[in-house]
Amino acid sequence: MPTRPPIRRRTTAAAAAPAAVLVAASALLVLAGCAGGAAGDGAEAPADGATGGAASGHPLIVDNCGTEVTFEQAPERVVTIKSSTLELLLALGLEDRIVGAAFTDGPVPDEFADAAAGIEALSDKVPSQEATLAAEPDLVFAGWESNLTAEGAGDRATLEQLGVHTYVAPAACQGEGYRPDPLTFDGVFAGFEEAGAIFGVADAAADLVAEQRAALDAIEPNDEGLTALWYSSGDDQPFVGGGTGAPQMIMDAAGLENVVGDVQDSWTTLSWEAVVDADPDVIVLVDAAWNTAESKIAKLEANPATAAMPAVQQGRYVIVDFPATEAGVRNVDAVDSIVGQLEAR
């Protein structure tokens, strides 16, 4: 996967000592200490209760999807866009810093329900710049680069001029040298660690990564040599998981061979004829409130061509919640769920 430039820490009077730098394969980041502190000390607040500065590993500079962002201190007022960003901050215990959430893909997992209960929903879709600024954030944490446009929450340069930093989940970067090719769990976990560095909670991020790595390592992939199609949406042409994004990463870990794994893109469209020709052993169905797994089954069974496929005739489906289709804290659970569903067939 292309390597992104590192987070760079600026030396100031408050942070004069050298920083400790941890280099991850898919995202280079600082998880650091300073004068008398070890790497990871950023998770602890200074003794006087202040945030930012030397004790939190700030200031630091992040090259995010080709945009340089300078964090003088850890963000305190954050607007999240997409479930992936909201749930990562909840997993890091940062719910008190979220002043608004937008464009979520459904309810948060049960484990985060209490923490998310008091967070204001700004919009069901991408919030306008006006709605975003009304929340008075110091950071907009976006799940997609396309969330940050003049027609959306505001373009990055404009928001920066208004004193609002922007940060895109690294797994969603699209520019050359930044786009994951392919996305890997190492890359996803490095994104968690980078967020930990930015928010001054490196220890919490390290704990989250350790927990998720242990859960992933404990999963025994299916060993039946099954082929699979990841069907997300689409009527005339199915929109399916390609060979470089989260669907491919999840299927690989679950022991499934993606029938369109040779497509060098996160997502692609196929003809129904191509689906029939691929004849997958299993069909992975994305379940969303606006496009349920049940509705996709109905389409497959109503189409004479796909209705004749053995996978459809025998109901060889596994179901994945929509939020797990993007890089985030739900990906490992999605692998475990798929393996469990395959075993239960």
Side-chain angles (χ1 to χ4, degrees), residues 55-237:
S56 66
H58 293 78
L60 56 80
I61 302 173
V62 182
D63 182 356
N64 177 235
C65 303
T67 295
E68 187 173 278
V69 186
T70 300
F71 293 94
E72 297 290 346
Q73 60 185 22
E76 292 291 338
R77 297 182 58 83
V78 186
V79 165
T80 64
I81 307 178
K82 296 295 291 178
S83 288
S84 56
T85 59
L86 170 63
E87 292 172 7
L88 174 56
L89 295 194
L90 293 175
L92 294 175
L94 299 174
E95 59 271 14
D96 290 344
R97 304 197 203 179
I98 304 171
V99 295
F103 205 2
T104 54
D105 303 313
V108 300
D110 290 345
E111 64 188 292
F112 301 141
D114 289 344
I119 296 174
E120 181 180 359
L122 301 182
S123 173
D124 291 337
K125 300 297 183 182
V126 180
S128 66
Q129 179 172 306
E130 181 180 13
T132 300
L133 293 176
E136 300 182 352
D138 55 15
L139 173 68
V140 177
F141 187 3
W144 297 342
E145 285 188 89
S146 60
N147 300 152
L148 299 173
T149 66
E151 296 74 27
D155 68 82
R156 301 190 73 169
T158 298
L159 289 173
E160 187 68 29
Q161 290 173 357
L162 294 172
V164 181
H165 295 322
T166 57
Y167 181 73
V168 177
C173 294
Q174 295 298 305
E176 184 177 355
Y178 295 91
R179 183 177 185 173
D181 185 22
L183 182 68
T184 66
F185 275 102
D186 282 343
V188 172
F189 296 155
F192 297 172
E193 291 171 332
E194 184 166 284
I198 291 168
F199 285 91
V201 290
D203 285 351
D207 289 345
L208 175 62
V209 169
E211 177 184 338
Q212 293 230 332
R213 282 195 186 280
L216 183 63
D217 290 344
I219 298 170
E220 294 187 12
N222 184 275
D223 61 0
E224 299 174 67
L226 300 172
T227 60
L229 176 77
W230 185 291
Y231 177 22
S232 179
S233 61
D235 294 324
D236 296 335
Q237 290 186 310

Side-chain angles (χ1 to χ4, degrees), residues 311-334:
V312 174
Q313 291 183 338
Q314 298 172 28
R316 295 200 299 263
Y317 305 117
V318 295
I319 297 174
V320 175
D321 289 338
F322 184 88
T325 66
E326 297 175 1
V329 297
R330 297 203 200 196
N331 296 154
V332 173
D333 285 343

